[in-house]
Amino acid sequence: MTPRRRVIAAVGAAAVLVAAVLVLRETDDATKKPSSQPVRLTKYAADFVKLPTQPAPLSAPSSVWSSDGRIQWVPVTGASGYEVFGKLVASPEIAGPGRADVRAVDAFGQRSLAARAEERPGDDGWRRAVNGWLDDFDDTFLERRYHLSGRPGCVNPSSGSGGRLVIDMPCGNDTAVLRARTLLQLNDADELGRVAVVTDAAGPRGKLVLDLVPGTPDRVGPIPPADAIRVVVDDSVLPGIRGAGVLHRFEVVLTRNGVRVLQDGGQIATSPVVPKWREASVLISMTPPIGYPGRVEVDAVGITGSLQSVPEVTETSIVAGTLRVLEPDEEAPGIGTARAPLRGASSARLRATVRLGDGGDPNGLVAQLGSARVPLRPVVSGWSGAEESELTVTGDVPAELLGPAGPDALSPFVLRMPGASQAQVLESYLEVPGQSPVKLANAPDEPAPVLPVLTAEFIRVTPNDATLAITLDAAHARSVAPLAGFEVYVDSGHVATMPMPGGVGGRHELEISLKGSHNVEVRLRPEDPGRQTDSVWLELSRS
């Protein structure tokens, strides 16, 4: 063999070796890729653990019907959730049309036979009962019709498909408040007026508050003004009936004999209160389940009243140099606000909402804009000065701060009040005359299914054994990620596996016969192999 051929042979051998290494690497990588198959668990219990007995499969839902964009059914005794359209939900209803099949799912993941929905006529008569302004959110210029109050970045409005306001609240502990610029105006009939709101805000662990308040407050907090009418719908009103993400219609009917509150046309509450005012602002306050990223939707708002000319304004949010309300002569941080919104304005108004502390004189509130001090007056009467109450105030911007002349910025910008006592600025913005150009963006995709919340506790402990209760709660979820089951570890050793193939949640009690003290871990296993496992650690201790 010539030297040249030896070189070629050597290179060829090296190529074969490299190819073999690559094949081995590809094989190794393939074994490390997560499986796309659902996770399946095998039932197991150590000799000192007793698992709960699996019952017979549930009966199918006895009655299922479809109407007004939702499918509902009679709750099934013993069901932890339901399967509809291939989705899992915890409550006995789901958003959607048509003759869907519904199956009940128990705590072990067992499915019942399917029950098919019966289609029923929708109820559109409520629209005729609202004699006045009706908004279906087809117009995405929200600011022209409402003021939206909420923490920037934590209350994010957008426009959903088919005409719907979508508000995402990713921070987990926020409330969005819509103030309609159109006022509720009462008439002289037996039914004085009506407000209708179609929303999913009152779903499990959520809250819908409707405040009818004379004046134009942006929010009124936990203590409404004396003449206000407040309606609260949450889990204390028809618990377990409203599903997460499912729209319902709520109506506040004002009559000469009092107030009636309706859900989907059926009365759910009454009050003998009769309004003392002739017109009021409508505030729609929406709170998703606390502690979780939330989304609420509003499909329609109706308000009784004559045709009204709503002043057109453009809002510009401005942030005070400190969110603490200062004393009248307290030193202010050198932080101001841009004067750009005022350069082309012939007039402007400053609005702010303040959460009061345990003292102070709100009648002495002023805003400092550079060297100017703007007196601020409450926009409602009968407001409460109690600690934690919220008060919206407003003041006209002085003429010398308007127009092209003057500095680019006004510094400082702060609010001041005698005896401020830890009062806080919740919101502040400028209103300038003119049609708002702000348009809502398209809503992000529907949230992905989420896992139930895992909790575990020892509900009985004796010197020789203990009962471990494991609860998987999915009531807050718009749709639930299916479960494979859960595992139990004692002192880091695997002692039990409870399969729940395609499970939606539920409650299980395990008997553990052990003496002494131990560390116990419960691991939730999703059916999706790509999802992260959740776990809870407990200490089994005996004194």
Side-chain angles (χ1 to χ4, degrees):
M1 181 181 293
T2 65
R4 174 181 171 83
R5 293 182 66 183
R6 283 196 204 99
V7 171
I8 293 173
V11 171
V16 172
L17 179 60
V18 170
V21 172
L22 287 175
V23 169
L24 287 173
R25 285 179 178 170
E26 288 174 1
T27 303
D28 290 344
D29 289 344
T31 61
K32 294 178 181 178
K33 289 180 180 177
S35 170
S36 60
Q37 297 300 314
V39 173
R40 290 290 182 257
L41 301 180
T42 301
K43 189 174 183 179
Y44 166 73
D47 56 6
F48 56 85
V49 177
K50 182 180 179 181
L51 295 175
T53 303
Q54 185 167 304
L58 299 169
S59 301
S62 60
S63 179
V64 186
W65 64 97
S66 170
S67 181
D68 289 322
R70 61 182 176 270
I71 298 167
Q72 299 170 277
W73 53 91
V74 175
V76 176
T77 302
S80 296
Y82 305 88
E83 184 178 50
V84 194
F85 299 128
K87 295 173 62 175
L88 294 175
V89 295
S91 300
E93 67 170 9
I94 190 172
R99 303 188 63 205
D101 288 337
V102 180
R103 291 175 170 82
V105 184
D106 70 10
F108 297 84
Q110 298 181 106
R111 266 74 171 156
S112 73
L113 296 175
R116 178 153 294 181
E118 169 198 356
E119 292 185 289
R120 297 180 181 177
D123 175 15
D124 216 28
W126 66 274
R127 292 177 172 270
R128 294 187 294 274
V130 178
N131 181 20
W133 180 70
L134 186 58
D135 183 13
D136 286 311
F137 293 93
D138 296 324
D139 184 346
T140 60
F141 292 95
L142 181 72
E143 191 176 287
R144 297 178 185 176
R145 310 186 310 284
Y146 303 88
H147 172 74
L148 174 63
S149 179
R151 275 200 298 169
C154 293
V155 174
N156 305 316
S158 56
S159 179
S161 60
R164 188 171 294 176
L165 174 64
V166 177
I167 304 177
D168 280 294
M169 288 180 261
C171 301
N173 190 20
D174 281 278
T175 295
V177 183
L178 275 178
R179 171 175 59 84
R181 300 192 189 278
T182 296
L183 297 177
L184 166 66
Q185 295 179 328
L186 303 186
N187 55 51
D188 294 324
D190 288 339
E191 182 178 309
L192 301 173
R194 179 182 296 239
V195 173
V197 180
V198 180
T199 179
D200 65 354
R205 309 213 178 114
K207 180 186 290 187
L208 171 69
V209 180
L210 301 178
D211 284 311
L212 313 181
V213 189
T216 59
D218 291 331
R219 48 200 294 174
V220 294
I223 309 172
D227 291 339
I229 293 176
R230 167 166 286 184
V231 172
V232 179
V233 185
D234 57 15
D235 282 345
S236 66
V237 182
L238 301 180
I241 298 300
R242 295 176 294 275
V246 183
L247 296 168
H248 287 273
R249 183 179 74 255
F250 302 94
E251 295 171 87
V252 181
V253 183
L254 307 174
T255 74
R256 296 185 183 279
N257 298 318
V259 179
R260 298 168 56 227
V261 182
L262 313 178
Q263 176 180 313
D264 302 320
Q267 184 168 291
I268 60 174
T270 62
S271 170
V273 174
V274 177
K276 301 175 182 178
W277 34 261
R278 299 299 300 173
E279 64 179 22
S281 285
V282 176
L283 274 62
I284 306 165
S285 173
M286 298 159 284
T287 306
I290 300 298
Y292 306 98
R295 166 182 285 205
V296 297
E297 299 183 2
V298 187
D299 191 60
V301 172
I303 299 175
T304 295
S306 59
L307 291 177
Q308 302 172 35
S309 176
V310 177
E312 292 184 340
V313 295
T314 297
E315 295 180 357
T316 302
S317 177
I318 56 175
V319 180
T322 173
L323 297 184
R324 184 172 65 86
V325 178
L326 302 180
E327 295 283 349
D329 299 320
E330 188 175 349
E331 184 177 356
I335 302 173
T337 183
R339 207 174 61 85
L342 305 176
R343 286 184 174 277
S346 58
S347 65
R349 183 170 293 165
L350 172 66
R351 287 177 63 97
T353 299
V354 175
R355 177 179 292 142
L356 301 179
D358 59 358
D361 180 13
N363 289 308
L365 266 167
V366 299
Q368 181 179 354
L369 290 162
S371 60
R373 297 208 176 193
V374 180
L376 300 175
R377 58 190 181 277
V379 300
V380 295
S381 60
W383 48 268
S384 169
E387 186 175 2
E388 297 299 313
S389 62
E390 297 172 7
L391 178 65
T392 301
V393 292
T394 186
D396 295 324
V397 176
E400 61 266 23
L401 301 183
L402 307 174
D408 292 334
L410 297 170
S411 181
F413 167 47
V414 293
L415 266 62
R416 298 181 179 276
M417 179 176 70
S421 189
Q422 300 303 310
Q424 291 183 310
V425 183
L426 299 180
E427 179 183 30
S428 51
Y429 62 98
L430 292 169
E431 280 187 342
V432 174
Q435 192 174 64
S436 172
V438 178
K439 188 175 182 179
L440 292 178
N442 292 332
D445 294 336
E446 178 81 11
V450 299
L451 291 173
V453 175
L454 167 65
T455 57
E457 61 178 338
F458 288 105
I459 58 174
R460 185 184 65 87
V461 177
T462 71
N464 298 318
D465 55 24
T467 301
L468 174 63
I470 298 168
T471 303
L472 302 167
D473 181 5
H476 69 285
R478 299 167 73 94
S479 63
V480 185
L483 303 175
F486 62 84
E487 298 168 330
V488 180
Y489 293 77
V490 174
D491 299 328
S492 300
H494 181 208
V495 302
T497 297
M498 173 57 72
M500 301 168 56
V504 68
R507 178 182 169 86
H508 298 267
E509 292 186 6
L510 283 67
E511 300 295 332
I512 302 177
S513 299
L514 283 177
K515 298 180 180 180
S517 298
H518 303 273
N519 293 319
V520 178
E521 180 189 7
V522 181
R523 295 181 187 174
L524 180 63
R525 294 290 304 277
E527 196 173 68
D528 180 355
R531 277 188 177 266
Q532 185 174 355
T533 297
D534 192 11
S535 66
V536 171
W537 287 82
L538 299 169
E539 185 176 331
L540 174 57
S541 61
R542 296 177 173 91
S543 55

